[in-house]
């Protein structure tokens, strides 16, 4: 029974249902005429991390994979409503296709018919019981289908993020998920403050196509000599994390080079549990070491207060006395911006210029 299996892999039981914040989450862009036209509106709750991970793929499409467009910052901020729709369809289809091992994508929509009855060990949510599955053996066909049914993912009351998560699970298949996961992760969501947060396996499935529960490269042995599964290949969109309470000597929590150095200069960032995006418009940034001396990054926090992207200039070859001067100039708190700390997990000696923006704390 698909509904029960979905609940089991998500929550670890068949009784839990999604919270209000999850149910109202969908894929909605900012206004096409605004400077944030290419970014998704990100609400509260556990769905934030999924929206931000998909945001990375949207930027990948708009900057680097769509045909006939220059990849520069200006082209991002000038996209039309139709280009927003094309970008979302391409991003969602690409993620599902990769999860299906580039062989098949499965897309879930909600029908008017109920396929699952309520039982004592299954709580009805009047949504999961009405799922209809559509399978595609070509990525282009999946993309066209999503484009034609975009309202199912972005409309108010559509449960769009949950539908995408269900599609991701069915595309990956329950069999593959069991092989991806390890003893540390038996379910994809974890309870948190009355709701549910995504575990790393969900984010890695969006980034890499595989639901690896950990962020290190390859496989490692745990404390009891159990095999723990990490990331096996470089993905297009990377991942950085920094937390003020993280233990620096815990090697199993350190992000490996597969995620730190992706194929394209886009990173999903987990900074103190808050998800954001860093990216560079220069495709060559990670393939030519000379480019990494002085370069620009753009930062999107997803906060409703952010009305335009933050432009950061990263200098990895400044001398230590220049760094000291920079930090003295901005006072002692300056050096502890969590965004800077996350960037320094990738470029350890970097000096970061916020170009007039007050640093985020």
């Amino acid at each position: 029974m698909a509904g029960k299996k979905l609940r089991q892999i998500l929550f670890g039981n068949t009784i839990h249902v999604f919270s209000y914040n999850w149910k109202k989450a969908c894929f909605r862009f900012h206004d096409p005429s605004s400077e944030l036209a290419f970014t998704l509106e990100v609400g509260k709750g556990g769905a934030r991390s999924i929206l931000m991970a998909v945001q990375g793929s949207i930027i990948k499409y708009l900057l680097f994979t769509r045909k006939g467009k220059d990849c520069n910052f200006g082209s991002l901020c000038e996209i039309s409503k139709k280009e927003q729709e094309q970008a979302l369809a391409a991003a969602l289809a690409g993620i599902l296709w990769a999860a299906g091992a580039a062989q098949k994508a499965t897309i879930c929509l909600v029908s008017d018919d109920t396929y699952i009855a309520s039982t004592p060990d299954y709580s009805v949510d009047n949504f999961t019981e009405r799922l209809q599955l559509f399978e595609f053996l070509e990525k282009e066909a999946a993309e066209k289908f999503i484009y034609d049914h975009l309202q199912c993912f972005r409309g108010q009351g559509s449960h769009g993020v949950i539908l995408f998560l269900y599609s991701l699970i069915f595309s990956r298949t329950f069999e593959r998920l069991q092989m991806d996961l390890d003893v540390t992760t038996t379910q994809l969501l974890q309870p948190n403050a009355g709701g549910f947060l995504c575990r790393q396996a969900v984010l890695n499935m969006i980034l890499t196509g595989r639901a690896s529960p950990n962020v290190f490269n390859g496989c490692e042995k745990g404390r009891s000599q159990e095999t723990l599964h990490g990331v096996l290949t470089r993905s297009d969109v990377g991942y950085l994390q920094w937390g003020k309470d993280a233990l620096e000597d815990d090697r199993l929590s350190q992000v490996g080079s597969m995620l730190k150095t992706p194929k394209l200069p886009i990173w999903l960032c987990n900074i103190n549990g808050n998800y954001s995006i860093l990216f560079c418009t220069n495709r060559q940034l990670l393939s030519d070491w000379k480019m990494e001396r002085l370069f620009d990054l753009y930062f999107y926090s997803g906060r409703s207060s952010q009305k335009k992207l933050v432009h950061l200039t990263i200098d990895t070859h400044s001398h230590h006395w220049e760094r000291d001067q920079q930090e003295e100039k901005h006072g002692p708190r300056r050096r502890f911006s969590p965004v800077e700390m996350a960037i320094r997990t990738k470029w350890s000696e970097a000096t970061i210029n916020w170009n007039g923006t007050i640093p985020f704390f």
Side-chain angles (χ1 to χ4, degrees):
M1 182 173 155
K4 280 190 174 180
K5 285 175 95 170
L6 269 177
R7 291 267 179 86
Q8 198 68 44
I9 197 76
L10 285 166
F11 303 110
N13 62 58
T14 57
I15 303 301
H16 278 129
V17 294
F18 281 104
S19 62
Y20 172 72
N21 281 332
W22 270 96
K23 287 177 180 173
K24 75 172 189 176
C26 58
F27 296 95
R28 291 174 59 174
F29 282 93
H30 284 96
D31 190 76
S33 58
S34 74
E35 193 172 318
L36 294 177
F38 65 97
T39 61
L40 295 169
E41 293 179 6
V42 183
K44 293 189 174 80
R48 276 182 72 98
S49 58
I50 292 181
L51 286 162
M52 274 299 182
V54 171
Q55 179 68 66
S57 284
I58 289 170
I59 293 170
K60 169 184 125 175
Y61 169 81
L62 290 171
L63 273 183
F64 303 121
T65 61
R66 64 174 170 160
K67 293 174 178 63
K69 288 284 182 179
D70 293 335
C71 56
N72 59 50
F73 184 64
S75 69
L76 272 185
C77 302
E78 294 162 5
I79 67 168
S80 63
K81 188 168 182 292
K82 184 171 186 190
E83 287 173 312
Q84 287 179 336
E85 293 167 352
Q86 289 168 335
L88 180 57
L92 297 181
I95 292 165
L96 297 179
W97 186 249
Q103 296 167 346
K104 184 168 75 172
T106 303
I107 296 166
C108 298
L109 298 183
V110 179
S111 72
D112 294 330
D113 302 317
T114 300
Y115 298 104
I116 305 170
S118 179
T119 61
D121 62 346
Y122 178 86
S123 307
V124 171
D125 61 15
N126 298 315
F127 167 72
T128 306
E129 302 76 40
R130 297 189 286 125
L131 288 183
Q132 201 168 358
L133 307 185
F134 300 86
E135 293 187 346
F136 298 90
L137 301 177
E138 292 176 353
K139 182 175 154 187
E140 292 71 23
E143 187 176 325
K144 184 182 186 310
F145 183 84
I146 292 174
Y147 185 79
D148 291 341
H149 296 85
L150 262 189
Q151 208 48 32
C152 301
F153 295 96
R154 64 172 191 181
Q156 202 165 352
S158 67
H159 297 61
V161 171
I162 300 176
L163 268 185
F164 169 68
L165 180 56
Y166 284 173
S167 301
L168 191 63
I169 291 167
F170 281 116
S171 295
R172 187 67 192 147
T173 74
F174 293 105
E175 294 73 25
R176 284 200 199 100
L177 279 169
Q178 293 304 332
M179 291 190 288
D180 292 344
L181 300 175
D182 61 27
V183 293
T184 65
T185 303
T186 54
Q187 70 218 46
L188 297 176
L189 303 179
Q190 62 187 38
N192 179 273
F196 289 90
L197 298 179
C198 288
R199 302 189 75 144
Q200 190 65 39
V202 176
L203 303 182
N204 283 351
M205 190 161 34
I206 295 173
L207 297 174
T208 72
R210 187 187 298 263
S212 315
N214 299 288
V215 292
F216 50 71
N217 292 356
C219 291
E220 294 271 3
K221 290 290 182 201
R223 290 188 177 87
S224 308
Q225 294 304 300
E226 71 278 27
T227 301
L228 305 179
H229 299 168
V231 177
L232 301 181
T233 54
R234 284 176 75 200
S235 50
D236 288 339
V237 177
Y239 179 79
L240 300 175
Q241 73 179 16
W242 184 81
K244 62 180 185 297
D245 302 322
L247 300 171
E248 285 189 24
D249 59 350
D250 180 4
R251 65 186 172 82
L252 296 180
S253 67
Q254 300 298 309
V255 179
S257 59
M258 295 294 188
L259 288 173
K260 266 191 195 175
T261 309
K263 294 176 187 172
L264 298 170
I266 308 167
W267 293 267
L268 171 68
C269 300
N270 173 0
I271 304 174
N272 287 325
N274 297 311
Y275 289 88
S276 50
I277 288 283
L278 270 173
F279 68 95
C280 176
T281 57
N282 178 5
R283 187 184 193 127
Q284 305 305 318
L285 177 67
L286 300 174
S287 53
D288 182 350
W289 63 270
K290 292 190 288 295
M291 299 283 183
E292 291 188 71
R293 288 186 162 180
L294 183 68
F295 57 95
D296 293 320
L297 290 177
Y298 294 95
F299 178 71
Y300 175 54
S301 70
R303 296 179 185 179
S304 56
S305 59
Q306 186 175 354
K307 301 302 179 204
K308 63 179 188 174
L309 281 189
V310 176
H311 171 207
L312 305 168
T313 301
I314 315 300
D315 185 346
T316 61
H317 279 250
S318 62
H319 298 291
H320 64 85
W321 58 83
E322 293 175 298
R323 271 202 306 281
D324 294 344
Q325 280 178 347
Q326 181 101 350
E327 287 168 352
E328 281 167 24
K329 193 171 83 178
H330 292 88
R333 285 187 68 218
R334 174 75 175 87
R335 75 186 69 187
F336 296 120
S337 163
V339 177
E340 294 185 10
M341 299 306 281
I343 290 170
R344 285 179 181 160
T345 65
K346 165 74 178 152
W347 295 281
S348 59
E349 298 296 307
T351 300
I352 293 128
N353 184 340
W354 287 69
N355 295 311
T357 302
I358 297 169
F360 287 27
F361 283 97

